[in-house]
Amino acid sequence: MDVPGRVDVGDEVRLTPTGLKPIEGVVDYATPVFLGVRSADALYRFYGRDAWGWPVGVAHHLFAEDADAATARQGWGAWLEEVFTSEEQV
C-alpha cells in the first residue's frame, strides 16, 4: 500500500490492497499502533494489537449504498493473508 513510513492526521493516502479497488483517503487518526483512514464512503481501521501479543486487526466500515460487504471481507482477508505470509517468510 502507498502509505509512507510516517503519516499524520490530515495526510492524504492511497491504499492499494491486492484484490480490491484502490482507496483514496485521508488519515483521520494516527498513533504508533493505530491508523485510521477516511475515504469518501468508508472508514478503514488498522489496529497494531501485536504489541500486546494479539492478532493485528483490520476493520472497514462501508457506507456506500452499493457496498458489497462479502467482497470487501474476502478482499481484505486475502490481503491480510498475503501480508502475514510474506512477513513470516522474512
Side-chain angles (χ1 to χ4, degrees):
M1 295 210 283
D2 299 332
V3 176
R6 175 171 164 72
V7 294
D8 291 310
V9 171
D11 288 351
E12 293 184 6
V13 294
R14 178 178 170 88
L15 309 178
T16 55
T18 303
L20 295 169
K21 293 179 186 176
I23 300 160
E24 304 287 340
V26 175
V27 174
D28 63 358
Y29 199 90
T31 72
V33 296
F34 180 89
L35 175 65
V37 175
R38 180 185 72 243
S39 73
D41 57 7
L43 296 174
Y44 300 92
R45 303 298 187 235
F46 302 87
Y47 305 88
R49 302 179 307 181
D50 55 323
W52 300 282
W54 301 350
V56 170
V58 175
H60 53 269
H61 307 275
L62 309 175
F63 303 111
E65 288 186 28
D66 62 345
D68 183 346
T71 299
R73 188 171 31 255
Q74 181 180 11
W76 282 105
W79 177 78
L80 282 167
E81 190 172 306
E82 177 186 322
V83 168
F84 287 102
T85 299
S86 298
E87 281 188 0
E88 290 173 4
Q89 294 173 355
V90 172

Coordinates of all heavy atoms in Angstrom, one line a residue:
M1 N 0.8 -1.2 0.0 CA 0.0 0.0 0.0 C 0.9 1.2 0.0 O 2.0 1.2 0.5 CB -0.9 0.0 1.2 CG -1.9 -1.2 1.2 SD -3.4 -0.9 2.0 CE -3.0 -1.1 3.7
D2 N 0.4 2.3 -0.6 CA 1.2 3.5 -0.7 C 1.0 4.4 0.5 O 0.4 5.5 0.4 CB 0.7 4.3 -1.9 CG 1.0 3.5 -3.2 OD1 1.9 2.6 -3.2 OD2 0.3 3.7 -4.2
V3 N 1.4 3.9 1.7 CA 1.4 4.7 2.9 C 2.8 5.0 3.3 O 3.6 4.0 3.5 CB 0.6 4.0 4.0 CG1 0.6 4.8 5.3 CG2 -0.8 3.8 3.6
P4 N 3.2 6.2 3.4 CA 4.6 6.5 3.8 C 4.9 6.0 5.2 O 4.0 5.7 5.9 CB 4.7 8.0 3.7 CG 3.4 8.5 3.7 CD 2.5 7.4 3.2
G5 N 6.2 5.9 5.5 CA 6.6 5.4 6.8 C 6.0 6.1 8.0 O 5.7 5.5 9.0
R6 N 5.8 7.4 7.8 CA 5.1 8.2 8.9 C 4.0 9.0 8.3 O 4.2 9.7 7.3 CB 6.2 9.1 9.5 CG 5.6 10.0 10.6 CD 6.6 10.7 11.4 NE 6.1 11.9 12.1 CZ 5.4 11.8 13.2 NH1 5.0 10.6 13.6 NH2 5.0 12.9 13.8
V7 N 2.9 8.9 8.9 CA 1.8 9.8 8.5 C 1.2 10.5 9.6 O 1.3 10.1 10.8 CB 0.6 8.9 7.8 CG1 1.1 8.3 6.5 CG2 0.1 7.9 8.7
D8 N 0.6 11.6 9.3 CA -0.1 12.4 10.4 C -1.5 12.6 10.0 O -1.9 12.5 8.8 CB 0.6 13.8 10.5 CG 2.0 13.7 11.1 OD1 2.2 13.0 12.1 OD2 3.0 14.2 10.5
V9 N -2.3 13.0 11.0 CA -3.7 13.3 10.7 C -3.8 14.4 9.7 O -3.0 15.4 9.7 CB -4.4 13.7 12.0 CG1 -5.8 14.3 11.7 CG2 -4.5 12.6 13.0
G10 N -4.6 14.2 8.7 CA -4.8 15.1 7.6 C -4.0 14.8 6.3 O -4.3 15.3 5.2
D11 N -3.0 13.8 6.4 CA -2.3 13.4 5.3 C -3.2 12.6 4.3 O -4.0 11.8 4.7 CB -1.1 12.5 5.6 CG 0.0 13.3 6.3 OD1 0.0 14.5 6.3 OD2 1.0 12.6 6.8
E12 N -3.0 12.9 3.0 CA -3.7 12.1 2.0 C -3.0 10.8 1.7 O -1.7 10.8 1.7 CB -3.9 12.9 0.7 CG -4.8 14.1 0.9 CD -5.1 14.8 -0.4 OE1 -4.6 14.4 -1.5 OE2 -5.7 15.9 -0.3
V13 N -3.7 9.7 1.6 CA -3.0 8.4 1.4 C -3.8 7.6 0.3 O -5.0 7.9 0.1 CB -2.9 7.5 2.7 CG1 -2.0 8.1 3.7 CG2 -4.3 7.3 3.3
R14 N -3.1 6.7 -0.3 CA -3.7 5.8 -1.3 C -3.5 4.4 -0.8 O -2.3 4.0 -0.7 CB -3.1 6.1 -2.7 CG -3.7 5.2 -3.8 CD -3.0 5.5 -5.1 NE -3.3 4.6 -6.1 CZ -4.4 4.6 -6.9 NH1 -5.2 5.6 -6.8 NH2 -4.5 3.7 -7.9
L15 N -4.5 3.7 -0.5 CA -4.4 2.3 -0.1 C -4.7 1.4 -1.3 O -5.6 1.6 -2.1 CB -5.5 2.0 1.0 CG -5.5 2.9 2.2 CD1 -6.6 2.5 3.1 CD2 -4.2 3.0 2.9
T16 N -3.8 0.5 -1.5 CA -3.9 -0.4 -2.7 C -3.8 -1.9 -2.3 O -2.9 -2.6 -2.7 CB -2.8 -0.1 -3.7 OG1 -1.5 -0.1 -3.1 CG2 -3.0 1.3 -4.3
P17 N -4.7 -2.3 -1.5 CA -4.7 -3.7 -1.1 C -5.0 -4.6 -2.3 O -5.9 -4.4 -3.1 CB -5.8 -3.9 0.0 CG -6.7 -2.7 -0.2 CD -5.9 -1.6 -0.9
T18 N -4.1 -5.7 -2.5 CA -4.3 -6.6 -3.6 C -5.7 -7.2 -3.6 O -6.3 -7.5 -2.6 CB -3.3 -7.8 -3.4 OG1 -2.0 -7.2 -3.3 CG2 -3.4 -8.7 -4.6
G19 N -6.3 -7.2 -4.8 CA -7.7 -7.7 -4.9 C -8.8 -6.7 -4.7 O -10.0 -7.1 -4.8
L20 N -8.5 -5.5 -4.3 CA -9.5 -4.5 -4.1 C -9.2 -3.3 -4.9 O -8.1 -3.0 -5.2 CB -9.6 -4.1 -2.6 CG -10.0 -5.2 -1.6 CD1 -9.8 -4.8 -0.2 CD2 -11.5 -5.6 -1.8
K21 N -10.2 -2.5 -5.1 CA -10.0 -1.2 -5.9 C -9.2 -0.3 -5.0 O -9.3 -0.3 -3.8 CB -11.4 -0.6 -6.2 CG -12.2 -1.3 -7.1 CD -13.5 -0.6 -7.3 CE -14.5 -1.4 -8.2 NZ -15.8 -0.7 -8.3
P22 N -8.3 0.5 -5.6 CA -7.5 1.5 -4.8 C -8.5 2.4 -4.0 O -9.6 2.7 -4.5 CB -6.8 2.3 -5.9 CG -6.7 1.4 -7.0 CD -8.0 0.6 -7.0
I23 N -8.0 2.8 -2.9 CA -8.8 3.6 -1.9 C -8.0 5.0 -1.7 O -6.9 4.9 -1.3 CB -9.0 2.9 -0.6 CG1 -9.7 1.6 -0.8 CG2 -9.7 3.8 0.4 CD1 -9.6 0.6 0.3
E24 N -8.7 6.1 -2.1 CA -8.1 7.4 -1.8 C -8.7 7.9 -0.5 O -9.9 7.9 -0.4 CB -8.5 8.3 -2.9 CG -8.0 7.9 -4.3 CD -6.6 8.0 -4.6 OE1 -5.9 8.7 -3.9 OE2 -6.1 7.3 -5.5
G25 N -7.9 8.3 0.4 CA -8.4 8.7 1.7 C -7.5 9.7 2.4 O -6.5 10.1 1.9
V26 N -8.0 10.1 3.6 CA -7.3 11.0 4.5 C -7.1 10.3 5.8 O -8.0 9.7 6.4 CB -8.1 12.3 4.6 CG1 -7.4 13.2 5.6 CG2 -8.2 13.0 3.3
V27 N -5.9 10.4 6.4 CA -5.6 9.9 7.7 C -6.5 10.7 8.7 O -6.3 12.0 8.8 CB -4.1 10.0 8.1 CG1 -3.9 9.5 9.5 CG2 -3.3 9.1 7.1
D28 N -7.3 10.1 9.5 CA -8.1 10.8 10.5 C -7.7 10.4 11.9 O -8.2 11.0 12.8 CB -9.6 10.6 10.2 CG -10.1 9.2 10.4 OD1 -9.3 8.3 10.6 OD2 -11.3 8.9 10.2
Y29 N -6.8 9.4 12.0 CA -6.3 9.1 13.4 C -5.0 8.3 13.2 O -4.9 7.5 12.3 CB -7.3 8.2 14.1 CG -7.1 8.1 15.6 CD1 -7.7 9.0 16.4 CD2 -6.3 7.2 16.2 CE1 -7.6 9.0 17.8 CE2 -6.1 7.2 17.5 CZ -6.7 8.1 18.3 OH -6.5 8.0 19.7
A30 N -4.0 8.7 13.9 CA -2.7 8.0 13.8 C -1.9 8.0 15.1 O -1.7 9.0 15.7 CB -1.8 8.7 12.7
T31 N -1.6 6.8 15.5 CA -0.7 6.6 16.7 C 0.3 5.5 16.3 O 0.2 4.9 15.2 CB -1.5 6.1 17.9 OG1 -1.9 4.8 17.8 CG2 -2.6 7.0 18.2
P32 N 1.3 5.2 17.1 CA 2.2 4.1 16.7 C 1.6 2.8 16.5 O 2.1 1.9 15.8 CB 3.2 4.1 17.9 CG 3.2 5.5 18.4 CD 1.7 5.9 18.3
V33 N 0.4 2.6 17.1 CA -0.2 1.2 17.0 C -1.6 1.3 16.3 O -2.4 0.3 16.4 CB -0.3 0.5 18.3 CG1 1.1 0.2 18.9 CG2 -1.1 1.4 19.3
F34 N -2.0 2.4 15.8 CA -3.3 2.5 15.2 C -3.3 3.5 14.0 O -2.7 4.6 14.1 CB -4.4 3.0 16.2 CG -5.8 3.1 15.7 CD1 -6.6 2.1 15.7 CD2 -6.2 4.3 15.1 CE1 -7.9 2.2 15.2 CE2 -7.5 4.4 14.6 CZ -8.4 3.3 14.7
L35 N -4.0 3.1 12.9 CA -4.1 4.0 11.8 C -5.5 4.0 11.3 O -6.1 3.0 11.1 CB -3.2 3.5 10.6 CG -3.4 4.4 9.3 CD1 -2.9 5.8 9.5 CD2 -2.6 3.7 8.1
G36 N -6.1 5.2 11.2 CA -7.5 5.4 10.7 C -7.4 6.2 9.5 O -6.8 7.2 9.4
V37 N -8.2 5.7 8.5 CA -8.2 6.4 7.2 C -9.7 6.5 6.8 O -10.5 5.6 6.9 CB -7.5 5.6 6.1 CG1 -7.7 6.2 4.7 CG2 -6.0 5.4 6.4
R38 N -10.1 7.7 6.4 CA -11.4 8.1 6.0 C -11.4 8.3 4.5 O -10.6 9.1 4.0 CB -11.9 9.3 6.7 CG -13.3 9.8 6.4 CD -13.6 11.1 7.1 NE -12.9 12.2 6.4 CZ -12.0 13.0 7.0 NH1 -11.7 12.8 8.3 NH2 -11.4 13.9 6.4
S39 N -12.3 7.6 3.8 CA -12.5 7.9 2.3 C -13.8 8.6 2.2 O -14.5 8.8 3.1 CB -12.4 6.6 1.5 OG -13.5 5.8 1.7
A40 N -14.2 8.8 0.9 CA -15.5 9.4 0.6 C -16.7 8.6 1.1 O -17.7 9.2 1.5 CB -15.6 9.7 -0.9
D41 N -16.5 7.3 1.2 CA -17.7 6.5 1.6 C -17.3 5.3 2.5 O -18.1 4.3 2.6 CB -18.3 5.9 0.3 CG -17.4 5.1 -0.6 OD1 -16.2 4.9 -0.1 OD2 -17.8 4.7 -1.7
A42 N -16.2 5.4 3.3 CA -15.9 4.4 4.2 C -14.9 4.9 5.2 O -14.2 5.9 5.1 CB -15.3 3.2 3.4
L43 N -14.8 4.1 6.3 CA -13.7 4.2 7.3 C -12.9 3.0 7.3 O -13.5 1.9 7.3 CB -14.3 4.5 8.7 CG -15.1 5.8 8.9 CD1 -15.7 5.8 10.3 CD2 -14.2 7.0 8.7
Y44 N -11.6 3.1 7.4 CA -10.7 1.9 7.4 C -9.8 2.1 8.7 O -9.3 3.1 9.0 CB -9.8 1.9 6.2 CG -10.6 1.7 4.9 CD1 -11.0 2.9 4.2 CD2 -11.0 0.5 4.5 CE1 -11.8 2.8 3.1 CE2 -11.8 0.4 3.3 CZ -12.2 1.5 2.6 OH -13.0 1.4 1.5
R45 N -9.7 1.0 9.4 CA -9.0 1.0 10.7 C -8.0 -0.2 10.7 O -8.3 -1.3 10.5 CB -10.0 0.8 11.9 CG -11.1 1.9 11.9 CD -10.4 3.2 12.1 NE -11.3 4.3 12.3 CZ -11.3 5.4 11.5 NH1 -10.5 5.5 10.5 NH2 -12.1 6.4 11.8
F46 N -6.8 0.2 11.1 CA -5.7 -0.8 11.2 C -5.2 -0.8 12.7 O -4.7 0.2 13.1 CB -4.6 -0.5 10.2 CG -5.0 -0.4 8.8 CD1 -5.6 0.8 8.3 CD2 -5.0 -1.5 8.0 CE1 -6.0 0.8 7.0 CE2 -5.4 -1.5 6.7 CZ -6.0 -0.3 6.2
Y47 N -5.3 -1.9 13.4 CA -5.0 -2.0 14.8 C -3.7 -2.8 14.9 O -3.7 -4.0 14.6 CB -6.1 -2.7 15.6 CG -7.5 -2.1 15.4 CD1 -8.3 -2.4 14.4 CD2 -7.9 -1.1 16.3 CE1 -9.6 -1.8 14.2 CE2 -9.2 -0.5 16.2 CZ -10.0 -0.9 15.1 OH -11.2 -0.3 15.0
G48 N -2.7 -2.2 15.4 CA -1.4 -2.9 15.7 C -1.4 -3.6 17.0 O -0.6 -3.3 17.9
R49 N -2.4 -4.5 17.3 CA -2.5 -5.1 18.6 C -1.4 -6.1 18.8 O -1.3 -6.7 19.9 CB -3.9 -5.8 18.6 CG -5.0 -4.8 18.4 CD -6.4 -5.5 18.5 NE -6.5 -6.6 17.6 CZ -7.6 -7.3 17.4 NH1 -8.7 -7.0 18.1 NH2 -7.6 -8.3 16.6
D50 N -0.5 -6.4 17.9 CA 0.6 -7.3 18.1 C 1.5 -6.8 19.2 O 2.2 -7.6 19.8 CB 1.3 -7.5 16.8 CG 1.8 -6.3 16.1 OD1 1.1 -5.2 16.2 OD2 2.9 -6.3 15.6
A51 N 1.5 -5.6 19.5 CA 2.3 -5.0 20.6 C 1.9 -5.7 21.9 O 2.8 -5.7 22.8 CB 2.1 -3.5 20.7
W52 N 0.7 -6.2 22.0 CA 0.3 -6.9 23.2 C 0.2 -8.4 23.0 O -0.5 -9.1 23.8 CB -1.1 -6.3 23.7 CG -1.0 -4.9 24.0 CD1 -0.5 -4.3 25.1 CD2 -1.4 -3.8 23.1 NE1 -0.5 -2.9 25.0 CE2 -1.1 -2.6 23.8 CE3 -2.0 -3.8 21.8 CZ2 -1.4 -1.4 23.2 CZ3 -2.3 -2.5 21.3 CH2 -2.0 -1.4 22.0
G53 N 0.7 -8.9 21.9 CA 0.6 -10.3 21.6 C -0.7 -10.8 21.0 O -1.0 -12.0 21.0
W54 N -1.5 -9.8 20.6 CA -2.8 -10.1 20.0 C -2.6 -10.1 18.5 O -1.7 -9.5 18.0 CB -3.8 -9.1 20.4 CG -4.1 -9.1 21.9 CD1 -3.6 -9.9 22.9 CD2 -4.8 -8.1 22.6 NE1 -4.1 -9.5 24.1 CE2 -4.8 -8.3 23.9 CE3 -5.5 -6.9 22.1 CZ2 -5.5 -7.6 24.9 CZ3 -6.2 -6.2 23.1 CH2 -6.2 -6.5 24.4
P55 N -3.6 -10.6 17.7 CA -3.5 -10.5 16.3 C -3.7 -9.1 15.8 O -4.5 -8.4 16.4 CB -4.6 -11.5 15.8 CG -5.4 -11.8 17.0 CD -4.7 -11.4 18.2
V56 N -3.1 -8.8 14.7 CA -3.3 -7.5 14.1 C -4.7 -7.4 13.6 O -5.3 -8.4 13.1 CB -2.3 -7.2 12.9 CG1 -2.7 -6.0 12.1 CG2 -0.9 -7.1 13.5
G57 N -5.4 -6.3 13.7 CA -6.8 -6.2 13.3 C -7.0 -5.2 12.2 O -6.3 -4.2 12.1
V58 N -7.9 -5.4 11.3 CA -8.3 -4.5 10.3 C -9.8 -4.4 10.3 O -10.4 -5.5 10.3 CB -7.8 -4.9 8.9 CG1 -8.3 -4.0 7.8 CG2 -6.3 -5.0 8.8
A59 N -10.3 -3.3 10.2 CA -11.8 -3.1 10.2 C -12.1 -2.1 9.0 O -11.4 -1.2 8.7 CB -12.3 -2.5 11.5
H60 N -13.2 -2.4 8.4 CA -13.7 -1.4 7.4 C -15.2 -1.2 7.7 O -16.0 -2.1 8.0 CB -13.5 -2.0 6.0 CG -14.0 -3.3 5.7 ND1 -13.2 -4.5 5.9 CD2 -15.2 -3.8 5.3 CE1 -14.0 -5.5 5.6 NE2 -15.2 -5.2 5.3
H61 N -15.6 0.0 7.6 CA -17.0 0.5 7.8 C -17.4 1.1 6.4 O -17.0 2.2 6.1 CB -17.1 1.5 8.9 CG -16.4 1.0 10.2 ND1 -17.1 0.2 11.1 CD2 -15.2 1.1 10.7 CE1 -16.3 -0.1 12.1 NE2 -15.1 0.5 11.9
L62 N -18.2 0.4 5.7 CA -18.6 0.8 4.3 C -19.9 1.5 4.3 O -20.9 0.9 4.8 CB -18.6 -0.4 3.4 CG -17.4 -1.3 3.5 CD1 -17.6 -2.6 2.6 CD2 -16.1 -0.5 3.0
F63 N -20.0 2.7 3.8 CA -21.2 3.5 3.8 C -21.9 3.7 2.5 O -23.0 4.2 2.4 CB -21.0 4.8 4.5 CG -20.4 4.7 5.9 CD1 -19.1 5.1 6.1 CD2 -21.2 4.2 6.9 CE1 -18.6 5.0 7.4 CE2 -20.7 4.1 8.2 CZ -19.4 4.5 8.4
A64 N -21.2 3.3 1.4 CA -21.8 3.4 0.1 C -23.0 2.5 -0.1 O -23.1 1.4 0.4 CB -20.8 3.1 -1.0
E65 N -24.0 3.0 -0.8 CA -25.3 2.2 -1.0 C -25.0 0.9 -1.7 O -25.6 -0.1 -1.5 CB -26.3 3.1 -1.7 CG -26.9 4.2 -0.8 CD -28.0 4.9 -1.5 OE1 -28.7 4.3 -2.4 OE2 -28.3 6.1 -1.2
D66 N -24.0 0.9 -2.6 CA -23.7 -0.3 -3.4 C -22.6 -1.1 -2.8 O -22.0 -1.9 -3.5 CB -23.4 0.1 -4.8 CG -22.2 1.0 -5.0 OD1 -21.7 1.6 -3.9 OD2 -21.7 1.1 -6.1
A67 N -22.2 -0.8 -1.6 CA -21.1 -1.6 -0.9 C -21.4 -3.0 -0.9 O -22.5 -3.4 -0.5 CB -20.9 -1.0 0.5
D68 N -20.4 -3.9 -1.2 CA -20.6 -5.3 -1.2 C -19.7 -5.8 0.0 O -18.5 -6.0 -0.2 CB -20.1 -5.9 -2.5 CG -20.3 -7.4 -2.6 OD1 -20.5 -8.1 -1.6 OD2 -20.2 -7.9 -3.7
A69 N -20.3 -6.0 1.1 CA -19.6 -6.5 2.3 C -18.9 -7.8 2.1 O -17.7 -7.9 2.6 CB -20.6 -6.5 3.5
A70 N -19.5 -8.7 1.5 CA -18.9 -10.0 1.3 C -17.6 -9.9 0.4 O -16.6 -10.5 0.8 CB -19.9 -11.0 0.6
T71 N -17.7 -9.2 -0.6 CA -16.5 -9.0 -1.5 C -15.4 -8.2 -0.7 O -14.2 -8.6 -0.8 CB -16.8 -8.2 -2.8 OG1 -17.8 -9.0 -3.5 CG2 -15.6 -7.9 -3.6
A72 N -15.8 -7.2 0.0 CA -14.8 -6.5 0.8 C -14.1 -7.4 1.9 O -12.9 -7.4 2.0 CB -15.4 -5.3 1.5
R73 N -14.9 -8.1 2.5 CA -14.4 -9.1 3.6 C -13.4 -10.1 3.0 O -12.3 -10.3 3.5 CB -15.5 -9.8 4.3 CG -15.2 -10.6 5.5 CD -16.4 -11.1 6.3 NE -17.6 -11.4 5.5 CZ -18.7 -10.6 5.5 NH1 -18.7 -9.5 6.2 NH2 -19.7 -10.9 4.8
Q74 N -13.8 -10.6 1.8 CA -12.9 -11.6 1.1 C -11.6 -10.9 0.7 O -10.5 -11.4 0.8 CB -13.7 -12.2 -0.1 CG -12.8 -13.2 -0.8 CD -13.6 -13.8 -2.0 OE1 -14.7 -13.3 -2.4 NE2 -13.1 -14.8 -2.6
G75 N -11.7 -9.7 0.1 CA -10.5 -9.0 -0.4 C -9.6 -8.6 0.7 O -8.4 -8.8 0.6
W76 N -10.1 -8.1 1.8 CA -9.3 -7.7 3.0 C -8.7 -9.0 3.6 O -7.5 -9.0 4.0 CB -10.0 -6.9 4.0 CG -10.2 -5.5 3.6 CD1 -11.3 -4.9 3.1 CD2 -9.1 -4.5 3.5 NE1 -11.0 -3.6 2.8 CE2 -9.7 -3.3 3.1 CE3 -7.8 -4.5 3.9 CZ2 -9.0 -2.1 2.9 CZ3 -7.1 -3.3 3.7 CH2 -7.7 -2.1 3.3
G77 N -9.4 -10.1 3.7 CA -8.9 -11.3 4.2 C -7.7 -11.8 3.4 O -6.7 -12.3 3.9
A78 N -7.9 -11.8 2.1 CA -6.8 -12.2 1.2 C -5.6 -11.3 1.3 O -4.4 -11.8 1.4 CB -7.3 -12.2 -0.3
W79 N -5.8 -10.0 1.5 CA -4.7 -9.1 1.6 C -3.9 -9.4 2.9 O -2.7 -9.5 3.0 CB -5.2 -7.7 1.6 CG -4.1 -6.7 1.9 CD1 -3.1 -6.2 1.0 CD2 -3.8 -6.0 3.1 NE1 -2.3 -5.3 1.6 CE2 -2.7 -5.2 2.9 CE3 -4.4 -6.0 4.4 CZ2 -2.2 -4.4 3.9 CZ3 -3.9 -5.2 5.4 CH2 -2.8 -4.4 5.1
L80 N -4.7 -9.6 4.0 CA -4.0 -9.9 5.3 C -3.2 -11.2 5.2 O -2.1 -11.3 5.8 CB -5.1 -10.0 6.4 CG -5.6 -8.7 7.0 CD1 -6.9 -9.0 7.8 CD2 -4.6 -8.0 7.8
E81 N -3.8 -12.2 4.6 CA -3.1 -13.5 4.5 C -1.8 -13.3 3.7 O -0.8 -13.9 4.0 CB -4.0 -14.5 3.7 CG -3.5 -15.9 3.8 CD -4.5 -16.9 3.2 OE1 -5.7 -16.9 3.7 OE2 -4.2 -17.6 2.3
E82 N -1.9 -12.5 2.6 CA -0.7 -12.2 1.8 C 0.4 -11.5 2.6 O 1.5 -11.8 2.6 CB -1.1 -11.4 0.6 CG 0.1 -11.0 -0.3 CD -0.3 -10.1 -1.4 OE1 -1.4 -10.3 -2.0 OE2 0.5 -9.2 -1.7
V83 N 0.0 -10.5 3.4 CA 0.9 -9.6 4.1 C 1.6 -10.5 5.2 O 2.8 -10.5 5.4 CB 0.2 -8.4 4.8 CG1 1.1 -7.8 5.8 CG2 -0.2 -7.4 3.7
F84 N 0.8 -11.3 5.9 CA 1.4 -12.0 7.0 C 2.1 -13.3 6.6 O 3.1 -13.7 7.2 CB 0.4 -12.3 8.1 CG 0.0 -11.0 8.9 CD1 -1.1 -10.3 8.6 CD2 0.9 -10.5 9.8 CE1 -1.4 -9.1 9.3 CE2 0.7 -9.3 10.4 CZ -0.5 -8.6 10.2
T85 N 1.8 -13.8 5.5 CA 2.6 -14.9 4.9 C 3.9 -14.4 4.5 O 5.0 -15.0 4.8 CB 1.9 -15.5 3.7 OG1 0.6 -16.1 4.1 CG2 2.7 -16.6 3.1
S86 N 3.9 -13.2 3.9 CA 5.2 -12.6 3.5 C 6.1 -12.2 4.7 O 7.3 -12.5 4.6 CB 4.9 -11.3 2.7 OG 4.2 -11.6 1.5
E87 N 5.5 -11.7 5.7 CA 6.3 -11.4 6.9 C 6.9 -12.6 7.5 O 8.0 -12.6 8.0 CB 5.4 -10.7 7.9 CG 5.2 -9.2 7.6 CD 4.5 -8.5 8.7 OE1 4.2 -9.1 9.8 OE2 4.2 -7.3 8.6
E88 N 6.2 -13.7 7.6 CA 6.7 -15.0 8.2 C 7.8 -15.5 7.4 O 8.7 -16.2 7.9 CB 5.5 -16.0 8.3 CG 4.5 -15.6 9.3 CD 3.3 -16.6 9.3 OE1 3.3 -17.6 8.5 OE2 2.3 -16.3 10.0
Q89 N 7.9 -15.2 6.1 CA 9.0 -15.8 5.3 C 10.2 -14.9 5.4 O 11.3 -15.3 4.9 CB 8.5 -15.8 3.8 CG 7.4 -16.8 3.5 CD 6.9 -16.7 2.1 OE1 7.3 -15.8 1.4 NE2 5.9 -17.5 1.8
V90 N 10.2 -13.7 6.0 CA 11.3 -12.9 6.1 C 12.3 -13.4 7.1 O 12.0 -14.0 8.0 CB 10.9 -11.4 6.4 CG1 12.1 -10.6 6.7 CG2 10.0 -10.9 5.3

